[in-house]
Amino acid sequence: MDRRQFLRAAGPAAVAGLAGCLGGGSADTDYDVGMSAKAFRPVQITVEPGTTVRWLNTSKQGHSVTAYEDDIPDEADYFASGGFDTEQAARDNWGNSSGGTMYEGDDFTHTFETVGEYAYFCIPHERAGMVGTVVVTENPDTASGE
């Protein structure tokens, strides 16, 4: 049973018990990756090809979701909050106008089609170690490192 199925089955009591675990106190638990002040939660997520991952800013800090362009599979689509086509464009826009900023309660989604590892980061908190990984595999039940 995956997390979403569990939460639906367990009902409001489980949701209330989990509210705030990711640092933001949001009652919205229908997301895959949350954001605390300077970390993605969980740091790594493993999914099957075709899965849409939803990031939710569960903190009061502004964040971004920005793929490391050189650390995603060659055939994969680039992704970044703000819809930028390259890592450099995302960095430039953040520096010039805070483009791609996700404020508390904002979300970002991306569908992963290509098997492989996708490293990503938060532009303003990269130096603090706010990085994450999406692992796309045909059999996520046997993946390690979660």
Side-chain angles (χ1 to χ4, degrees):
M1 176 182 297
D2 72 16
R3 178 182 47 76
R4 288 182 184 166
Q5 289 172 325
F6 167 78
L7 291 173
R8 279 194 283 283
V15 172
L18 293 174
C21 288
L22 296 175
S26 172
D28 180 356
T29 57
D30 189 25
Y31 58 89
D32 301 296
V33 181
M35 301 170 186
S36 65
K38 292 186 178 144
F40 292 105
R41 300 280 188 241
V43 172
Q44 179 175 307
I45 184 170
T46 302
V47 300
E48 294 177 330
T51 300
T52 299
V53 173
R54 179 178 179 226
W55 287 264
L56 178 70
N57 186 348
T58 54
S59 80
K60 296 187 184 309
Q61 301 288 321
H63 293 295
S64 76
V65 173
T66 311
Y68 282 112
E69 197 165 1
D70 293 336
D71 289 335
I72 64 174
D74 290 338
E75 310 80 35
D77 292 333
Y78 184 76
F79 63 97
S81 54
F84 303 107
D85 293 330
T86 66
E87 181 181 340
Q88 191 60 55
R91 289 181 184 275
D92 290 346
N93 276 281
W94 181 275
N96 295 334
S97 64
S98 296
T101 302
M102 296 171 58
Y103 296 101
E104 182 178 15
D106 288 348
D107 70 349
F108 169 74
T109 61
H110 181 75
T111 302
F112 292 87
E113 300 290 351
T114 305
V115 170
E117 291 193 15
Y118 298 74
Y120 65 93
F121 65 103
C122 171
I123 293 173
H125 302 112
E126 179 182 20
R127 289 185 184 178
M130 190 169 180
V131 298
T133 306
V134 175
V135 177
V136 180
T137 179
E138 294 292 342
N139 191 354
D141 295 334
T142 61
S144 61
E146 289 186 72

